[in-house]
Amino acid sequence: MSADAAAVESQPVDSSKLAQRYDRVRWTTEALVEPLSPEDCVVQSMPDASPAKWHLAHTTWFFEAFLLTAKLPGYQPFHPQFSYLFNSYYNAIGERHPRAQRGLLTRPSLDEILDYRAHVDRHMNELLAPGVSAEMAALVEVGLHHEQQHQELLLTDIKHLLSCSPLRPAYREELTASTTTPAAMSFVAFDAGVRAFGHGGEGFCYDNEQPRHRQYLHPFAVADRLVTNAEWQAFIDDGGYTRPEFWLSDGSHCITSNGWTAPMYWERIDGAWHSFTLAGMREIDPVEPVSHVSFYEADAFARWSGKRLPTEFEWELASENCLIEGNFLDDSRFHPIALDGGTESADSRPAIAELYGDVWEWTASPYVAYPGYKPPEGALGEYNGKFMSNQMVLRGGSCATPQNHIRPTYRNFFQPSARWQFMGVRLAENA
Amino acid sequence: MSADAAAVESQPVDSSKLAQRYDRVRWTTEALVEPLSPEDCVVQSMPDASPAKWHLAHTTWFFEAFLLTAKLPGYQPFHPQFSYLFNSYYNAIGERHPRAQRGLLTRPSLDEILDYRAHVDRHMNELLAPGVSAEMAALVEVGLHHEQQHQELLLTDIKHLLSCSPLRPAYREELTASTTTPAAMSFVAFDAGVRAFGHGGEGFCYDNEQPRHRQYLHPFAVADRLVTNAEWQAFIDDGGYTRPEFWLSDGSHCITSNGWTAPMYWERIDGAWHSFTLAGMREIDPVEPVSHVSFYEADAFARWSGKRLPTEFEWELASENCLIEGNFLDDSRFHPIALDGGTESADSRPAIAELYGDVWEWTASPYVAYPGYKPPEGALGEYNGKFMSNQMVLRGGSCATPQNHIRPTYRNFFQPSARWQFMGVRLAENA
Amino acid sequence: MSADAAAVESQPVDSSKLAQRYDRVRWTTEALVEPLSPEDCVVQSMPDASPAKWHLAHTTWFFEAFLLTAKLPGYQPFHPQFSYLFNSYYNAIGERHPRAQRGLLTRPSLDEILDYRAHVDRHMNELLAPGVSAEMAALVEVGLHHEQQHQELLLTDIKHLLSCSPLRPAYREELTASTTTPAAMSFVAFDAGVRAFGHGGEGFCYDNEQPRHRQYLHPFAVADRLVTNAEWQAFIDDGGYTRPEFWLSDGSHCITSNGWTAPMYWERIDGAWHSFTLAGMREIDPVEPVSHVSFYEADAFARWSGKRLPTEFEWELASENCLIEGNFLDDSRFHPIALDGGTESADSRPAIAELYGDVWEWTASPYVAYPGYKPPEGALGEYNGKFMSNQMVLRGGSCATPQNHIRPTYRNFFQPSARWQFMGVRLAENA
Amino acid sequence: MSADAAAVESQPVDSSKLAQRYDRVRWTTEALVEPLSPEDCVVQSMPDASPAKWHLAHTTWFFEAFLLTAKLPGYQPFHPQFSYLFNSYYNAIGERHPRAQRGLLTRPSLDEILDYRAHVDRHMNELLAPGVSAEMAALVEVGLHHEQQHQELLLTDIKHLLSCSPLRPAYREELTASTTTPAAMSFVAFDAGVRAFGHGGEGFCYDNEQPRHRQYLHPFAVADRLVTNAEWQAFIDDGGYTRPEFWLSDGSHCITSNGWTAPMYWERIDGAWHSFTLAGMREIDPVEPVSHVSFYEADAFARWSGKRLPTEFEWELASENCLIEGNFLDDSRFHPIALDGGTESADSRPAIAELYGDVWEWTASPYVAYPGYKPPEGALGEYNGKFMSNQMVLRGGSCATPQNHIRPTYRNFFQPSARWQFMGVRLAENA
């Protein structure tokens, strides 16, 4: 999560651009809660999820704790207990409210939290106006990327909450329908060799993307597109969820104890598969990329296909000449779309499609430190390093990720049983 | 819960009085949520508690399901799924939303629920206007008593929810302070003999108060007042919570596994006991009746005192010549008050004080059927009978009970570990 | 559990008779473990059950702790840690090994425990030889009754353990088959009135059977025999386990969460109900009394029958002129038998049959203190009183109860969900 | 787990040598249970552990299921239900007894299981006598390595069981005391480069050690000896278990929820650290390698030291020129020994000591498939591959590992919270 200090310090900071970016990111978060009622914003639907109000406050607390309190002379915290209430897991900053009880905070109200945001924004503008040091700019950058992460969580948490109501209310009504059928899946091959991975250039990155380092890769090939709902349905129809030969032992236990027989949000209604979307219940669109599957399901599907998942390094190498284009938060669809569902013609389609956006892609790589990794000093050092066990890496961003938040070297990570994010599957094989 | 059918049918129903009473009870419920925000009304703070919005809707559903749908020609339910959402436990009425997930219903909003109430009230007035049969009047009566029960739960559930916020917000600010010291506790004796118990006269009662029947009572005496906070503190100071000789085996397990060392809502702040009240955190008032103790704690306290709890029949006999007076919901204090905290002089004080209001009094009686008890036919038969195991009887009402809801024969019941209601202790002894 | 002190002290103690009885009871316990291997004796199959080895040791510890250590000059405990290992729940005696870990004690070995028994028996004989005071005789009596209780538990715990092996091994092979069909059930009526209950005469009783006291009983009738397997099967076939109208709310939760659809040990094999017995798997004998049902199931069955369970006082009154005869531990059948399965002719059959032996009979009475009850002083005071919550009273003994252990006033008690004891059903009704 | 098929088939099988090895391994297992009573052999002290009797039977079942039943004409299984009882997790072989209930199998008795072993051994000798095909020899080899794995588990499971008795009985009495002090820890450096890892030569290996493949390694250094008890005590004394900065988030949760403040089996007695060993309770020997620590603890210790754990490839490279020598099962110490505790002089000591034996060494590598890994066909395919999630790799064997069972490429794996095996720590650093 630490910006590359050397790189950042060597160039002058364009303060007005930073302030502009600050405003834009903060505005986006508030636009995302616009369709929600105060009641929608307060409830926590499961321990993994947080209330929207908490996301609004926690991202604000980040700027207050790491910038205003530390750097703006005379700044008074908006409320003496907010630091306790809205700290997430930074032990160095002090005690905090237990995660599973975030949904009990009916006070402060949503209106007070919006006041809190306005208060902090006002002071942040004051702080940024005269221009800032490279070190402070780097902290602001961290705060903005942090808030962008929470934008994604806010959407996936709200999706989960709304799905819990028997009324199945929509976050908003529109949902783009797909109109085309993706071509057969083919595989693009890569040679063996020692290659460099991780973030090495300019610009922002998290600490866990560093240092840039070498890995030896054996020959491999990756699929030129994502796995679709139709392909997943074939897996279900073939008894995929009930045949132990495809499943890791932990995966088998996971689907059995949770009673999973299809991706999250899938429901059979009158014989046809439907799924809950942010536009309400919809019939499954067979050509869309499958979403809301856990690592265990992705891995079992790959085994059933006679393929495997790519490692994170294979993914990173495959992405090398691809543009960061796709279906992002910025498109406001909040749902994966079919490959050609839009303007792409076969010619304009990249050799490897859908690498970015739509759904995060599970890799076969456990989330561990890169050789030579060092967490940053101070409270921000708790950001990424301490989660390096029992999680798997995902790559590429989703339809809930802001476009300028994602990078080829970006490592997202979740427990192999998680599936409430937009998570899907790209296959790979040995070449 | 069934009104005594014979009694009810023999007298003409005064329809305008019933309509007036309907309006009054319904208005009171809405007045209780007036200090709350939409966010306060949606959250469920523990499985035992329900959100205020759910109380508002469920009591309304009762009139819709048992009266409007059945008796008002052409009535259309307000919303097709509300019956599923707001049924509590009447299996005969159909499937229902799981209890522990009541807090996930951010939709319908509080405003919609208030519309729902207005809609049902309009149609109830229509139904009641021309006058109703004795049978329908009895059903309305049940619905109103049912709603009064939920008024009490609404207050105790909100108290629990607000206590979960580290901000410890007040439901409202005022709290009457006590000014006097209660006299020493003395005991009033009663003779042995066969006596009749349960509801036998006119007026409304629940099914579980019937039939009126005989019990043989041995000589006994009951305390002339409730146990106070000061007396409870002496129990704590004497190691009461850590001495196994005072505790039932289940009680010992209960306090150990929950880590209880004082009544619910008590906290030690800077060396002094405080408690959370509906007016926020307050220092313990030593002369007030102790509240928020479980049956296990009440029983252990009694044993420590060298006394015991009264049976429900001893309580009922002791109450025979007492007026139904005291500190009720109608007084809007929402907190127990000290015995002489007000206008009473020693002379005007009854021989046995505080039998009604302030706190429900735990009895030594498990909640079982009276000899000859029969649950009513139909859906209402599920009301009281099916809870007749593993619960203890409480008597007398509390500061959150409407005055015209309580009777000498009224049997409240809770698990022996429950303590989020206003529950206190009156001692008894063998005479 | 305290012998009636006055009664005991007024008569001279026949010491050689007491020693004889001591030997007989101790010998019976060891005879019961004779068919078991050391491995059978060490394992604990559920937290409610104890290993046979633990029963052997704990009953011995009782004599060591309460008699030898206290009363025999110069007595040295057999092993310094046995008091910690084999104390059950007497807090006054000191710390003890956690109940759920009794099955981890592979050491001391079964042989060592048998040595321990021999050691204590030798010293007990030494203590008893010269004759003992009435107070000591009373303590010995308590110890013997205590051991008889554990004889029953030893058998029911072993039954549970053996049922856990897929091999379904028999404790021993023989099992008397029933040959006759019981007559239709009829009901014997009793008048209303104030009657005395509890132990008042001479001889041993537990503290919880005292004091003898009065109760008013309404007119009632009790069935002249127990409910049979055939009658229970009719309940199952009529959907009894799936119809909420018959079940207490807690009972409904209990059968649902445990997946119960028949009595414990019942299994459907090739379309026919079988059950596991101490002689292995047997087809259900329709004429035998049903056994291994919980209070919840007994209560639901009664409701389905249009009847109810008797209270413990109704049972006691009904038993007044009955001989203590029946199918006991002494008969070594270890399984209930059909009513006429043996020598009884219709004429010799008592008006109310099967009151004693075969199966414990669930009553409608929660287990609470009798009016005026006082637990004994000292460690033995923890014996019965502290379990007086959340349990129901059973009466009459079972096929695993020693005949001279049972009395008309004997109160057994278990949680309403327990069913691994030989527990059955006698119906009652209002007269 | 599949032997390298090509390698094995190319050489003639020396049948008498195989039979000899078979006898030796089988004899060793039985020698290990020799100090145990039948009661010690039946109990399961935690779900992770299995009873000794189960180990004896399960390893035997392996030969019966995969060799005798399949390959010996006319072979009759010893008992029709043993396949159900003693299958561990091979779904392809059929249903099996639930793991957590292995301790309920008091029948069959230990004697019957020893008969079962004799029966299978007799037939295995019959099968092996005439000489066997390379394919069958490979299966026998798998069975023997499988049994050797269970020898280690048998010892660690018994250690856990005995530790549960308050008597703290010894498996056997003797324990070699250490007499010397290890030198200061120094680090041996290795260069960067692409190297080959995994099993590639002749002889047996498990499937998960294959295929031999390349990895790029950055420069690193590994410690020349294991971490000692004295060093671990310094970590404890420095508050290591209570300082969040050293712990992974999951690790922090693990030690908090389990209440861990020292390695497993450590207890403070009269101010001095003791630990439970297979020879009973002993005072901690400061110069011995620390044992019974989880991955989380190992990782936190490394961070506290300013070092890290080696990856499994770093370990494998470091071991390249080391002899497979050390303190193994064959030495019958069953406890780690201090580095010079014996005959080694400083000169004869290898550059990197204690790589083999004493304790398994936690690595920083999650247990995943090697590039190109394919599980074997058939039931044996379930052996290793399906555990490739949420586990960490350990290397080098322990004092409970048979010497001829271990290899430089051997990958042991456990959840990061496991610590009942002999598990210790070697440090590494970036060079």
Side-chain angles (χ1 to χ4, degrees), chain A residues 195-214:
Chain A
R195 306 292 294 261
F197 298 93
H199 195 267
E202 294 186 355
F204 176 83
C205 75
Y206 283 126
D207 60 342
N208 61 12
E209 302 167 47
Q210 293 186 319
R212 189 156 172 87
H213 69 285
R214 291 178 195 179

Side-chain angles (χ1 to χ4, degrees), chain D residues 139-419:
Chain D
L139 270 172
V140 174
E141 201 61 58
V142 170
L144 294 177
H145 278 278
H146 173 257
E147 181 142 353
Q148 288 184 310
Q149 284 187 289
H150 280 276
Q151 288 167 0
E152 177 148 13
L153 292 170
L154 195 156
L155 274 175
T156 51
D157 290 353
I158 272 295
K159 182 169 179 177
H160 185 264
L161 170 61
L162 295 178
S163 81
C164 294
S165 167
L167 304 182
R168 299 291 153 80
Y171 168 75
R172 59 103 195 253
E173 292 302 330
E174 326 81 61
L175 188 70
T176 315
S178 296
T179 52
T180 57
T181 307
M185 191 184 291
S186 63
F187 285 76
V188 180
F190 293 82
D191 290 336
V194 172
R195 306 294 294 261
F197 299 94
H199 195 267
E202 294 187 356
F204 175 84
C205 76
Y206 284 125
D207 60 342
N208 61 12
E209 302 168 47
Q210 294 187 317
R212 188 154 173 90
H213 69 284
R214 292 177 193 179
Q215 297 274 351
Y216 180 87
L217 260 52
H218 294 77
F220 71 97
V222 297
D224 64 344
R225 63 164 173 82
L226 295 169
V227 169
T228 64
N229 283 332
E231 286 157 349
W232 199 273
Q233 217 169 321
F235 172 60
I236 295 175
D237 294 346
D238 195 35
Y241 278 84
T242 59
R243 292 166 61 185
E245 65 264 35
F246 303 135
W247 295 84
L248 286 165
S249 181
D250 287 349
S252 213
H253 180 75
C254 176
I255 60 168
T256 306
S257 59
N258 288 299
W260 292 351
T261 59
M264 192 176 195
Y265 298 131
W266 283 39
E267 264 177 70
R268 209 153 197 143
I269 302 177
D270 300 332
W273 283 112
H274 289 64
S275 83
F276 182 73
T277 73
L278 281 167
M281 289 303 294
R282 299 286 165 123
E283 195 165 346
I284 287 291
D285 186 339
V287 298
E288 280 172 10
V290 70
S291 186
H292 296 299
V293 295
S294 63
F295 168 80
Y296 294 128
E297 290 163 289
D299 177 75
F301 178 90
R303 225 179 294 264
W304 170 79
S305 311
K307 308 291 178 186
R308 59 173 177 84
L309 300 178
T311 68
E312 62 169 320
F313 303 111
E314 289 169 348
W315 191 98
E316 194 170 320
L317 182 57
S319 76
E320 233 169 32
N321 298 311
C322 293
L323 296 175
I324 302 182
E325 286 177 347
N327 172 24
F328 291 109
L329 179 92
D330 319 61
D331 297 273
S332 291
R333 280 193 188 96
F334 309 146
H335 195 76
I337 51 167
L339 186 51
D340 293 325
T343 57
E344 300 168 295
S345 81
D347 293 334
S348 71
R349 184 178 141 186
I352 304 176
E354 300 177 311
L355 273 169
Y356 294 105
D358 286 320
V359 291
W360 289 97
E361 304 177 19
W362 283 110
T363 73
S365 299
Y367 175 53
V368 292
Y370 282 170
Y373 167 76
K374 287 251 175 276
E377 302 285 317
L380 288 178
E382 297 185 46
Y383 200 88
N384 282 310
K386 75 182 194 185
F387 299 107
M388 289 174 172
S389 61
N390 303 312
Q391 312 220 26
M392 302 302 290
V393 173
L394 300 104
R395 295 291 195 117
S398 81
C399 57
T401 309
Q403 180 160 16
N404 64 6
H405 180 65
I406 196 75
R407 289 172 297 284
T409 59
Y410 194 107
R411 308 171 79 196
N412 199 355
F413 49 90
F414 277 93
Q415 282 87 359
S417 58
R419 56 182 206 165

Side-chain angles (χ1 to χ4, degrees), chain B residues 114-149:
Chain B
L114 294 175
D115 288 350
Y116 177 38
R117 288 183 70 90
H119 172 91
V120 164
D121 287 351
R122 220 162 32 241
H123 288 89
M124 280 297 294
N125 278 317
E126 197 182 311
L127 183 76
L128 296 176
V132 295
S133 69
E135 181 221 346
M136 274 170 65
L139 270 173
V140 174
E141 201 59 59
V142 169
L144 294 177
H145 277 278
H146 172 257
E147 181 142 352
Q148 288 185 310
Q149 284 188 289

